[in-house]
Amino acid sequence: MKKLCAFITSFLLLKFSLILCCLTEPICFWRIKNNEDNDVGLKNDCGVDLWTIEGHIEENLYNKIIDFRIPARCFEFFLVMFFATEEINENPYLLPNMTLMFIISVGHIQDTLGFLDSLHSQPNNSPYFTNYVCANYKLCNVQLTGPSWKTSAKLAFHSWSPKVFFGPFSPNLSDHEQFSVVHQIATKDTHLPHGMVSMMLHFRWTWIGLVISDDDQGIQFLSDIREEMQRHGICLAFVNVIPDTMQTYMTNALIYDKQIMTSSAKVVIIYGERNSTLEVSFRRWEYLGAQRIWITTSQWDVITSKKKFSLDFFYGTVTFAHHSGEMPKFRNFVQTMDTDEYPVNISESMLGWNYFNCSIPKNRKKMEHFKFNNIFEWTALHKYDMALSEEGYNLYNAVYAVAHTYHELILQQVESQNPEEFKGIFTDCEKVSSVLKARVFTNPVGELVNMNHRENQCAEYDIFIIWNFPQGFGFKVKIGSYFPCFPQMQQLHIYEDVEWTIGGTPVPSSLCSMPCTAGFRKLHQRETADCCFDCVQCPENEVSNETADMEQCMRCADDKYANLEQTHCLQRAVSFLAYEDTLGLALCSTALSFSVMTILVLFTFVKYKDTSIVKANNHILSYILLISLVFCFLCSLLFIGHPNQATCILQQTTFGIFFTVAVSTVLAKTITVVMAFKLTTPGRRMRGMLRLGAPNLVIPICTLIQLVLCGIWLVTSPPFIDRDIQSEHGKTVIICNKGSVIAFHVVLGYLGSLALGSFSVAFLARNLPDRFNEAKFLTFSMLVFCSVWITFLPVYHSTRGKIVVVVEVFSILASSAGLLGCIFVPKCYVILVRQDSSIIQKYKDKLLH
């Protein structure tokens, strides 16, 4: 026996070495797959036929009937069958006084049916069975098939016996009209796309590749996961739909390779059948050195499938497997099983299988397990638990489903007491299938199994990661769970200490574009996926906070402003042209100084009112002009300080009215000069009008018009307090809004028309004779006044914030100072410095005569 086991082990190692060498080229792999029919030991599918007999079976029966080499792929299934049937046979409450036994086949599963028929036709003294009733009955024993759904589909056409498929759930077998005798023990992966997307969101993977098989199941999965991705903002970098036929695949193989090798996506989902062109692609990418995180299902758990296969090219393989309960009895069974009773030598064969399925306590350091160069040395020094694959666990449940079905059928036989029926012999296949479909039971590990609702069950998932080590060794360790029936925030649970590489815990990234940091927002590129974008800085006064990667920046409230990094909003400081400011203090001092100077000039004119030069300039108009200039200088103070509603209204009205008085007074003086030197001739009425002061009427008329305009302005849209948050960074400037811009410009335009009229009249009289020619001074003063306000308009409209107020105050002071300086300073100079009485007397006499 030992020699036989050694021979088999050597043969398998040699064979596997040859396979490993050939897997680097897909054609070689395909040839191996096509030639599997020539070597039963390499078949992947297993079939099991279950039946019951009264009494006990002969010892060493399985050693006699299983006379072929157990392939590595089905080795786990043999162990599960031995364990499950022994556990059931030892249960006094399930199939009492009956023995559940099986025959398992590998490869040509249909041959097993013929073998069973020959067993059923043996005489009662068969060396294989005791107390077995023989008759020419067409038996309807339940058959277990898997893990490929195609095997069950083929058997459904050749036999009407009920079948339980223990491979992954396949929609192809859900057609109950076509496959009415096939029942699936695995639950449907209804929530698998959502589970995968939830894990991607947890690790912030947004740029994903997808490889599926070109069949209905793959296309449906593509539709489901694309919908989930779009809902959660995850993008597909590429989709490789691998055709079923090798010829078609080889035509486009280079395209598939280029897509996955050149894509920036570091996470790739693989979904489809094993032993297909999809697996060929998988092996090609290994040969090409693709380094990706592969997200897949438990059937792609390459560690539990291929011991010698190198996994160095993986960043990590994450698998979703249906949750299964722990089975400590199974571990004890394997460790203590009697090899004389079962045709299994576990001394070396089990070593490889156990190694890839051991679990590590969470409180242990992972690196301490690999201090030995020899893996056999490690396994000899450490205790480890058995862990069934998902297919093995499905097979375990399938055996129990059949046992409960037989139990119910036997109870019905006992109750009916039909003499033509033998206990444990079932011939009505439709009845067996109906009872099987209705089974609901709790397996020994506490899981509820409902054979009638496997498509709609809310299946829980365990999430595993494969750790990679030199020489092709590795571990599969649970890193989390997914509970689709829990509330949204509690569905996914990932352990915090997940390690993706040996010696560190960095979470790999899979992004089309790096996340935008705080202060930036995403700008999507044209004709690209939503996950591909550029990062641009937020607009002025908008922020993106610590959440980062924002589609739109958030605008700060009016009383706040964005910091320089544009990551959060700060409180704005209130700003206005205050008296405490240097500029405000300078303007205030200037206004007061000019006001004092104007009052001094007025005092001088009053004191020297009897002089010729004062009388010659119509001292009444001079007094009015000087007083209006005093108020013009003082009205500028309304623009300085914290604005309020009263000052906002008074600013514009006092400015407009007092300047109108001043300019209309200049106009009256200009008209007086013109009438005095050009229009005054003996016998004319003009002389009388001049003496009566007719030009003085210009002042009240012009002022009244301005009052009407200001009144309309205040009634329709008066000035109000406003806040300017645009002009100064980080400050809220309190200003007076003009209210109606049109009204403001009408008032200013009216004032400008008066000034232009005065300038025109004065310009016409600029060459009048006499040493004290008033027209020249008036012309020059109006030229200065018009220049100031013409310059004011473009400057006013090009400035913002407090500077607008400064410009307006400066224009008021400059224009007022221009009038004061051009009209009155020369006269004060003559009065105070160069008093020539003869000249003054001559000038006086000329005016009187």
Side-chain angles (χ1 to χ4, degrees):
M1 187 68 179
K2 292 182 179 179
K3 292 182 178 180
L4 178 61
C5 292
F7 172 78
I8 293 176
T9 303
S10 301
F11 176 79
L12 288 176
L13 290 175
L14 177 61
K15 196 73 175 179
F16 197 84
S17 299
L18 294 174
I19 294 174
L20 182 61
C21 295
C22 295
L23 285 181
T24 57
E25 289 296 334
I27 296 179
C28 294
F29 177 82
W30 189 258
R31 286 174 181 168
I32 291 172
K33 185 182 178 186
N34 287 339
N35 293 333
E36 283 181 355
D37 292 339
N38 299 328
D39 189 346
V40 178
L42 294 178
K43 295 302 288 184
N44 289 317
D45 288 314
C46 304
V48 181
D49 199 292
L50 287 164
W51 68 91
T52 60
I53 62 172
E54 291 189 87
H56 302 281
I57 62 174
E58 179 186 348
E59 292 184 2
N60 303 326
L61 174 65
Y62 289 115
N63 275 316
K64 296 177 181 179
I65 63 176
I66 301 178
D67 56 353
F68 52 85
R69 175 173 56 87
I70 301 176
R73 183 70 180 89
C74 292
F75 191 85
E76 178 187 11
F77 302 149
F78 274 80
L79 292 174
V80 171
M81 291 305 304
F82 294 146
F83 169 69
T85 54
E86 182 175 301
E87 190 177 43
I88 291 171
N89 291 333
E90 292 177 355
N91 187 347
Y93 303 102
L94 185 62
L95 295 176
N97 301 321
M98 302 294 292
T99 298
L100 181 67
M101 61 180 300
F102 70 93
I103 185 67
I104 189 167
S105 63
V106 179
H108 298 284
I109 301 177
Q110 296 178 35
D111 295 344
T112 305
L113 301 179
F115 173 71
L116 292 176
D117 290 338
S118 65
L119 288 179
H120 296 164
S121 62
Q122 290 181 15
N124 290 342
N125 57 354
S126 168
Y128 297 138
F129 307 100
T130 59
N131 300 326
Y132 189 85
V133 178
C134 294
N136 294 323
Y137 292 107
K138 182 180 180 181
L139 302 181
C140 283
N141 297 326
V142 180
Q143 299 169 359
L144 311 181
T145 60
S148 173
W149 68 270
K150 296 178 181 178
T151 303
S152 295
K154 291 178 180 179
L155 288 177
F157 292 106
H158 294 282
S159 172
W160 286 99
S161 297
K163 296 166 183 61
V164 178
F165 174 64
F166 60 86
F169 187 92
S170 174
N172 299 291
L173 299 178
S174 297
D175 188 350
H176 299 295
E177 294 183 0
Q178 188 176 6
F179 304 108
S180 59
V181 297
V182 179
H183 307 274
Q184 301 193 65
I185 194 69
T187 53
K188 188 176 181 180
D189 289 325
T190 305
H191 303 281
L192 180 62
H194 185 267
M196 289 183 172
V197 170
S198 299
M199 188 183 67
M200 296 172 198
L201 293 174
H202 177 83
F203 292 114
R204 298 182 180 179
W205 296 332
T206 59
W207 191 234
I208 309 298
L210 179 62
V211 182
I212 60 172
S213 54
D214 189 8
D215 52 30
D216 294 341
Q217 190 172 355
I219 299 303
Q220 182 61 46
F221 179 80
L222 170 62
S223 176
D224 294 340
I225 201 164
R226 176 175 281 169
E227 181 180 351
E228 286 290 338
M229 286 182 171
Q230 291 176 349
R231 187 181 297 118
H232 294 90
I234 299 176
C235 305
L236 283 173
F238 62 88
V239 178
N240 276 351
V241 183
I242 307 300
D244 287 337
T245 60
M246 189 62 183
Q247 183 178 2
T248 307
Y249 165 73
M250 289 305 299
T251 304
N252 301 315
L254 294 178
I255 298 177
Y256 303 140
D257 296 342
K258 183 178 180 181
Q259 277 186 325
I260 200 165
M261 296 302 296
T262 60
S263 175
S264 58
K266 300 301 181 184
V267 176
V268 179
I269 299 174
I270 296 181
Y271 188 83
E273 289 282 335
R274 291 286 305 277
N275 303 310
S276 64
T277 49
L278 184 58
E279 187 170 1
V280 174
S281 299
F282 196 60
R283 305 309 183 193
R284 277 181 65 96
W285 299 330
E286 177 225 3
Y287 174 71
L288 296 173
Q291 291 187 334
R292 299 293 185 270
I293 298 171
W294 309 94
I295 301 178
T296 183
T297 56
S298 60
Q299 62 177 317
W300 283 89
D301 184 352
V302 294
I303 277 184
T304 58
S305 301
K306 302 285 186 182
K307 173 182 176 181
K308 293 290 185 180
F309 188 73
S310 174
L311 302 174
D312 293 339
F313 76 111
F314 286 109
Y315 273 166
T317 304
V318 180
T319 61
F320 279 72
H322 290 105
H323 174 74
S324 59
E326 296 184 1
M327 301 174 60
K329 292 183 179 180
F330 178 71
R331 174 187 58 187
N332 183 66
F333 171 79
V334 174
Q335 293 177 346
T336 61
M337 67 184 303
D338 186 0
T339 56
D340 293 333
E341 182 178 355
Y342 299 106
V344 178
N345 188 338
I346 67 169
S347 59
E348 293 183 2
S349 300
M350 281 298 298
L351 182 61
W353 183 72
N354 288 336
Y355 160 65
F356 289 126
N357 290 272
C358 67
S359 60
I360 299 175
K362 192 174 180 181
N363 57 358
R364 267 176 145 181
K365 293 183 179 179
K366 305 172 189 67
M367 288 298 294
E368 71 178 14
H369 294 278
F370 296 92
K371 296 179 180 178
F372 305 97
N373 295 326
N374 192 325
I375 193 62
F376 295 98
E377 181 182 355
W378 180 87
T379 54
L381 296 178
H382 291 78
K383 293 183 179 180
Y384 42 90
D385 296 336
M386 308 297 173
L388 283 178
S389 67
E390 184 174 341
E391 295 162 351
Y393 187 72
N394 289 340
L395 179 59
Y396 178 75
N397 282 333
V399 174
Y400 267 89
V402 174
H404 282 277
T405 300
Y406 287 169
H407 184 86
E408 177 63 25
L409 291 171
I410 291 173
L411 289 179
Q412 294 179 8
Q413 287 178 340
V414 172
E415 292 176 358
S416 65
Q417 295 182 351
N418 189 344
E420 297 182 358
E421 288 185 347
F422 296 96
K423 186 178 180 181
I425 302 300
F426 315 113
T427 58
D428 189 346
C429 294
E430 185 175 349
K431 182 179 181 181
V432 173
S433 180
S434 176
V435 173
L436 174 63
K437 183 178 181 181
R439 288 307 88 205
V440 178
F441 62 93
T442 302
N443 66 10
V445 297
E447 179 188 352
L448 180 66
V449 180
N450 188 342
M451 294 295 295
N452 196 29
H453 297 89
R454 303 307 282 176
E455 296 186 25
N456 303 319
Q457 283 191 357
C458 196
E460 300 177 4
Y461 289 90
D462 293 330
I463 304 174
F464 296 90
I465 186 173
I466 296 174
W467 291 338
N468 306 305
F469 299 96
Q471 301 177 355
F473 297 113
F475 274 109
K476 181 182 75 172
V477 178
K478 183 177 178 180
I479 63 170
S481 303
Y482 173 67
F483 308 95
C485 294
F486 282 19
Q488 181 71 30
M489 301 303 295
Q490 302 175 15
Q491 291 180 345
L492 183 70
H493 176 66
I494 300 293
Y495 301 150
E496 295 180 358
D497 58 346
V498 175
E499 289 199 8
W500 295 91
T501 55
I502 301 303
T505 59
V507 177
S509 62
S510 184
L511 306 169
C512 180
S513 301
M514 293 303 295
C516 296
T517 58
F520 291 81
R521 67 176 180 88
K522 295 192 291 187
L523 179 64
H524 292 281
Q525 304 170 3
R526 288 186 176 181
E527 299 180 356
T528 58
D530 291 340
C531 301
C532 301
F533 51 83
D534 296 322
C535 293
V536 296
Q537 194 165 13
C538 290
E540 184 180 358
N541 206 38
E542 293 187 11
V543 298
S544 61
N545 55 21
E546 63 277 1
T547 57
D549 211 14
M550 298 180 64
E551 293 282 350
Q552 297 294 334
C553 299
M554 297 184 298
R555 187 171 185 82
C556 293
D558 291 343
D559 60 340
K560 295 183 179 180
Y561 71 100
N563 62 344
L564 294 178
E565 294 79 14
Q566 292 185 278
T567 56
H568 57 276
C569 298
L570 303 175
Q571 190 67 38
R572 290 180 178 273
V574 177
S575 177
F576 53 88
L577 186 61
Y579 291 104
E580 295 79 8
D581 294 344
T582 302
L583 196 57
L585 182 61
L587 293 174
C588 178
S589 301
T590 303
L592 293 176
S593 299
F594 278 116
S595 299
V596 172
M597 289 175 60
T598 306
I599 293 173
L600 291 176
V601 172
L602 177 61
F603 177 78
T604 301
F605 267 60
V606 172
K607 182 178 181 180
Y608 294 97
K609 63 181 179 177
D610 295 329
T611 60
S612 305
I613 192 170
V614 174
K615 291 182 178 181
N617 285 277
N618 195 333
H619 62 284
I620 299 298
L621 293 179
S622 297
Y623 296 158
I624 296 174
L625 180 57
L626 286 170
I627 293 173
S628 64
L629 287 178
V630 171
F631 284 104
C632 286
F633 285 122
L634 292 177
C635 77
S636 64
L637 299 178
L638 294 172
F639 292 84
I640 305 174
H642 195 292
N644 55 57
Q645 189 63 34
T647 55
C648 286
I649 294 176
L650 290 175
Q651 280 179 6
Q652 307 304 328
T653 54
T654 55
F655 157 73
I657 292 173
F658 288 127
F659 264 84
T660 300
V661 172
V663 175
S664 61
T665 302
V666 173
L667 179 60
K669 288 175 70 66
T670 306
I671 294 174
T672 300
V673 172
V674 173
M675 292 178 67
F677 287 95
K678 281 197 171 186
L679 301 179
T680 305
T681 57
R684 293 286 183 95
R685 291 184 180 181
M686 285 294 181
R687 185 179 181 86
M689 292 176 63
L690 184 61
R691 288 188 174 185
L692 293 175
N696 298 345
L697 296 175
V698 172
I699 300 173
I701 293 174
C702 293
T703 304
L704 182 61
I705 294 174
Q706 186 68 288
L707 284 172
V708 172
L709 294 176
C710 290
I712 295 173
W713 182 4
L714 296 178
V715 171
T716 55
S717 181
F720 58 90
I721 300 175
D722 197 6
R723 298 176 183 271
D724 179 13
I725 61 175
Q726 302 294 332
S727 58
E728 296 186 34
H729 179 72
K731 294 182 179 180
T732 300
V733 182
I734 308 299
I735 58 174
C736 288
N737 192 298
K738 299 296 187 295
S740 174
V741 179
I742 296 176
F744 170 72
H745 286 88
V746 167
V747 169
L748 199 63
Y750 175 71
L751 190 60
S753 64
L754 289 179
L756 186 61
S758 300
F759 174 75
S760 300
V761 175
F763 182 78
L764 294 175
R766 69 187 184 281
N767 293 322
L768 291 177
D770 203 273
R771 184 174 181 179
F772 302 109
N773 191 352
E774 184 76 2
K776 288 184 179 180
F777 297 132
L778 294 176
T779 302
F780 191 66
S781 66
M782 285 296 99
L783 179 62
V784 173
F785 185 90
C786 292
S787 299
V788 169
W789 288 105
I790 289 174
T791 307
F792 163 79
L793 287 175
V795 176
Y796 175 83
H797 288 289
S798 62
T799 54
R800 302 167 70 182
K802 293 191 298 185
I803 306 301
V804 174
V805 182
V806 173
V807 169
E808 195 166 356
V809 172
F810 179 80
S811 299
I812 292 173
L813 296 178
S815 58
S816 300
L819 293 178
L820 178 65
C822 295
I823 296 176
F824 294 102
V825 169
K827 294 179 177 56
C828 290
Y829 176 77
V830 172
I831 293 173
L832 299 177
V833 180
R834 299 181 59 185
Q835 292 192 21
D836 189 341
S837 58
S838 59
I839 296 176
I840 296 175
Q841 186 62 38
K842 182 180 179 181
Y843 186 80
K844 179 179 178 182
D845 294 339
K846 186 176 181 179
L847 288 176
L848 293 175
H849 297 285

